[in-house]
Amino acid sequence: TVRAVHAVAAPVLDSKRVVLLVTDVEESRRVEAVRRDFIANVSHELKTPVGAMLLLAEAIRDAQDDPAALTHFIDRLIHEANRLSRLVKELIDLSRLQGGDPLPELSEVRVSDIVSDAVEPLHVRAEAAGIRLEVAIPANLCVLGDRRQLATAVTNLVENAIVYSSRGGRVGVGARERVTPEGRIVEIAVSDNGIGIARADQERIFERFYRVDPGRSRATGGTGLGLAIVKHIVNNHGGRISVWSKPGTGSTFTLHLPAPASDTTSSVTDLVTR
Ligand code: ADP
């Protein structure tokens, strides 16, 4: 195909424009392939809980005389329905983040507020899983962002840290301000001493539906979309996400976000220069 485009285009276009044209064709093919894969993945992910729910509904119909079996099937039906509802919610979130909605209104938000919005509802879950949840955020540290979206990002990271750890584990949430060559940024880090992630997988876990261990992810109600959502949220904030991890040792996910213009810093500089 590349040769065909070249042959047709060569008489009328110079070589630079031919290269651009071929790159365009390749890029739109790649985008189309990613879109097709995504639709295939969504269909598969939707089919699984719906299929399970149908089977469970039949099992419930046939187990009317067995109260213990009935309770068991109903609990599983609720679990599958929850998974389906979470998947649909996350698909909607993701499609909004991918360009449907305008970029978030960035305002100065306290990091401690973002983190408590995220962590408070997860204490019960951490306790049930035997995980110690430790939060240490400097009181006045602020970030430039959207409180709700950033809380969703931290929630997804803390949920993963709990799920991919073992009983007796520890999950920590911390934050700090740092000066980089590009300016001041705020880093929010979620660390765990759980199962860890191999280097080859670290590059792929932010892709939609990519899971290192699909069985474990599904069993714990995972959708495979959590990190893709986090990545889009930080990108839309002009930030980025990084991961450090070692299998068997644990993982740390860090959100690097823009810091608000600091009044205190400028007044200090004013004092020094005057
Ligand atoms: P899921 O719903 O499967 O958790 P995510 O997008 O949140 O989907 O994460 C993608 C995959 O990355 C997970 O299936 C898991 O294999 C891996 N992962 C994410 N967070 C962690 C973590 N803290 N420790 C180990 N593995 C993780």
Side-chain angles (χ1 to χ4, degrees):
T1 327
V2 171
R3 214 177 293 134
V5 172
H6 200 287
V8 172
V12 277
L13 297 174
D14 59 47
S15 61
K16 247 191 216 154
R17 287 175 66 194
V18 171
V19 170
L20 280 181
L21 190 65
V22 172
T23 318
D24 263 10
V25 172
E26 281 168 358
E27 176 59 13
S28 58
R29 284 234 172 97
R30 201 190 57 79
V31 170
E32 181 54 26
V34 168
R35 206 180 61 87
R36 234 181 299 123
D37 268 8
F38 178 62
I39 292 172
N41 278 333
V42 170
S43 318
H44 175 76
E45 296 291 335
L46 290 172
K47 245 166 76 184
T48 313
V50 171
M53 286 164 71
L54 276 173
L55 288 176
L56 286 164
E58 283 172 15
I60 289 168
R61 188 191 54 203
D62 298 340
Q64 295 300 326
D65 303 329
D66 185 346
L70 208 52
T71 309
H72 170 73
F73 292 141
I74 290 172
D75 283 347
R76 283 189 46 201
L77 184 66
I78 292 171
H79 172 82
E80 292 298 334
N82 274 329
R83 197 151 79 85
L84 184 61
S85 136
R86 190 180 159 137
L87 179 63
V88 170
K89 182 195 166 294
E90 292 197 348
L91 280 170
I92 293 170
D93 286 351
L94 195 59
S95 84
R96 286 197 176 132
L97 286 166
Q98 280 177 328
D101 276 7
L103 289 179
E105 190 78 30
L106 303 188
S107 57
E108 195 168 325
V109 194
R110 252 187 235 275
V111 176
S112 56
D113 287 339
I114 294 168
V115 172
S116 54
D117 286 355
V119 166
E120 290 309 320
L122 292 175
H123 274 295
V124 176
R125 199 152 150 200
E127 206 170 305
I131 307 281
R132 198 150 38 95
L133 195 48
E134 291 170 355
V135 178
I137 308 291
N140 291 318
L141 185 62
C142 287
V143 68
L144 210 49
D146 176 279
R147 177 167 170 171
R148 203 179 53 80
Q149 286 200 7
L150 291 178
T152 301
V154 175
T155 300
N156 289 359
L157 295 181
V158 176
E159 275 181 342
N160 279 348
I162 295 171
V163 165
Y164 299 106
S165 293
S166 315
R167 195 159 276 282
R170 173 200 163 274
V171 169
V173 188
R176 62 172 181 168
E177 192 178 83
R178 212 159 66 78
V179 180
T180 69
E182 290 79 43
R184 283 178 327 107
I185 60 163
V186 170
E187 294 179 338
I188 306 176
V190 177
S191 58
D192 64 65
N193 55 0
I195 61 172
I197 307 156
R199 184 165 281 278
D201 292 313
Q202 288 173 28
E203 287 164 19
R204 304 207 50 197
I205 49 174
F206 299 98
E207 292 171 19
R208 299 168 301 198
F209 296 121
Y210 186 83
R211 296 136 155 150
V212 178
D213 175 353
R216 180 170 180 149
S217 160
R218 290 209 180 85
T220 52
T223 59
L225 295 176
L227 288 179
I229 289 175
V230 178
K231 188 178 163 186
H232 277 96
I233 290 175
V234 285
N235 284 354
N236 287 354
H237 278 74
R240 64 183 180 90
I241 180 165
S242 65
V243 58
W244 173 93
S245 187
K246 203 169 164 193
T249 302
S251 311
T252 299
F253 287 83
T254 307
L255 308 179
H256 309 258
L257 295 160
S262 156
D263 289 333
T264 36
T265 314
S266 59
S267 61
V268 170
T269 324
D270 281 355
L271 279 178
V272 172
T273 49
R274 259 176 215 157

